[in-house]
């Protein structure tokens, strides 16, 4: 059993949980909790002293004292099981797709990815101003969506939009088509931006249409994660042409 928080392995796992640059360099991340561990393919399976036998399914695990385990995960009440995983290489960009610009809140990013997976989106592309999709907070909010999507980060979201083999629909707080009036058929990609600022003018110009969710008079805007779920559902539930 590893008992010291100063153990080199513990220190590295703690850095993977906290340092996005290290995650990108090594293409490794830390997932925590039985659900995420069950969906991942662990490079190393980690279990706390008090979590022994929880969700292991007969697999070999590295045993850590509760104190050492707590140094790796960033929650107050750990579930006792975690894993180091290899970050999956993204596949080819395909529709339906999601493009995120500057969404910095980890909870929003994870929730958007969760809704995307639930409504059949295949690819997610995030610019570097977004929260790191493989950070612990985003992983927890995503609830396993990361393993159902092809996720990539990019320095040049405009190039990704130009390369997308379909129409890009830009979500905006006002002055767009309602989802019920927008053409949601065929291969589409949803472009969403940070709350308040929204999508930049440069990227809006690359979209085929702007879509706005109608709201009651006097309301300013929806949380970006709530808006994303509504738009994804609108496209997912629209009958296919000819049906």
């Amino acid at each position: 059993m590893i008992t010291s928080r100063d153990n080199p392995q513990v220190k590295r796992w703690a850095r993977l949980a906290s340092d996005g640059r290290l995650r990108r360099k090594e293409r490794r991340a830390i997932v925590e909790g039985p659900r995420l561990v069950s969906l991942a393919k662990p490079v190393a399976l980690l279990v706390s002293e008090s979590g022994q036998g929880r969700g292991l399914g007969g697999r070999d695990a590295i045993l850590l004292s509760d104190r050492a385990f707590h140094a790796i995960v960033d929650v107050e009440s750990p579930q006792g099981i975690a894993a180091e995983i290899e970050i999956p290489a993204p596949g080819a960009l395909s529709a339906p797709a999601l493009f995120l610009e500057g969404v910095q809140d980890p909870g929003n990013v994870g929730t958007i990815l969760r809704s995307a997976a639930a409504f059949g989106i295949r690819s997610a592309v995030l610019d570097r101003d977004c929260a790191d999709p493989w950070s612990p907070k985003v992983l927890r909010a995503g609830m396993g969506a990361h393993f159902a999507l092809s996720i990539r980060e990019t320095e040049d979201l405009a190039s990704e939009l130009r390369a997308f083999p379909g129409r890009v629909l830009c979500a905006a707080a006002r002055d767009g088509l309602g989802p019920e009036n927008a053409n949601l058929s065929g291969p589409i990609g949803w472009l969403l931006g940070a709350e308040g600022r929204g999508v930049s003018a440069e990227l809006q110009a690359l979209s085929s249409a702007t879509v706005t969710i109608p709201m009651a008079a006097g309301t300013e805007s929806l949380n970006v994660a709530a808006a994303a779920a509504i738009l994804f559902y609108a496209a997912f539930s629209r009958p296919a042409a000819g049906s």
Side-chain angles (χ1 to χ4, degrees):
M1 180 171 63
I2 298 175
T3 60
S4 174
R5 296 165 70 103
D6 293 325
N7 177 279
Q9 287 180 293
V10 172
K11 284 186 172 182
R12 177 178 169 275
W13 290 322
R15 281 192 64 204
L16 280 178
S18 63
D19 188 340
R21 289 174 296 181
L22 184 63
R23 287 192 291 270
R24 293 185 182 104
K25 178 182 177 181
E26 296 195 3
R27 299 293 300 173
R28 297 289 177 90
I30 298 294
V31 297
E32 192 265 340
R35 175 174 172 78
L36 292 183
V37 170
S38 71
L39 294 171
K41 296 179 180 179
V43 173
L45 188 60
L46 315 174
V47 63
S48 70
E49 188 175 6
S50 61
Q52 293 182 70
R54 188 177 300 171
L56 294 178
R59 295 175 291 180
D60 291 333
I62 299 170
L63 180 63
L64 296 92
S65 68
D66 289 345
R67 185 171 180 272
F69 188 87
H70 207 287
I72 297 169
V73 298
D74 68 344
V75 292
E76 291 186 9
S77 301
Q79 299 181 65
I81 183 170
E84 176 186 342
I85 65 166
E86 184 173 355
I87 295 175
L93 182 59
S94 60
L98 162 67
F99 301 90
L100 292 183
E101 181 191 27
V103 182
Q104 297 179 342
D105 182 85
N108 281 337
V109 171
T111 302
I112 291 169
L113 294 177
R114 183 178 181 181
S115 295
F119 295 121
I121 287 176
R122 298 175 181 174
S123 300
V125 184
L126 293 74
D127 75 0
R128 290 294 193 190
D129 290 328
C130 288
D132 180 355
W134 295 96
S135 69
K137 289 181 180 178
V138 176
L139 282 159
R140 284 198 299 274
M143 289 293 290
H146 291 69
F147 306 107
L149 296 165
S150 171
I151 300 172
R152 74 174 69 206
E153 297 178 272
T154 181
E155 300 281 358
D156 188 356
L157 194 57
S159 292
E160 296 284 348
L161 290 168
R162 293 188 186 99
F164 178 63
R167 291 178 301 108
V168 175
L169 303 179
C170 176
R174 55 187 61 84
D175 301 327
L177 294 168
E180 71 280 5
N181 297 318
N183 179 5
L184 304 182
S185 62
I188 63 171
W190 289 106
L191 171 61
L192 294 98
E195 289 186 54
R197 184 178 62 201
V199 175
S200 65
E202 175 194 2
L203 296 188
Q204 282 192 46
L206 299 176
S207 63
S208 301
T210 301
V211 181
T212 297
I213 299 168
M215 295 181 293
T219 53
E220 179 63 25
S221 65
L222 283 168
N223 168 276
V224 64
I230 292 170
L231 295 173
F232 300 162
Y233 174 74
F236 182 78
S237 63
R238 187 72 59 89
S243 63

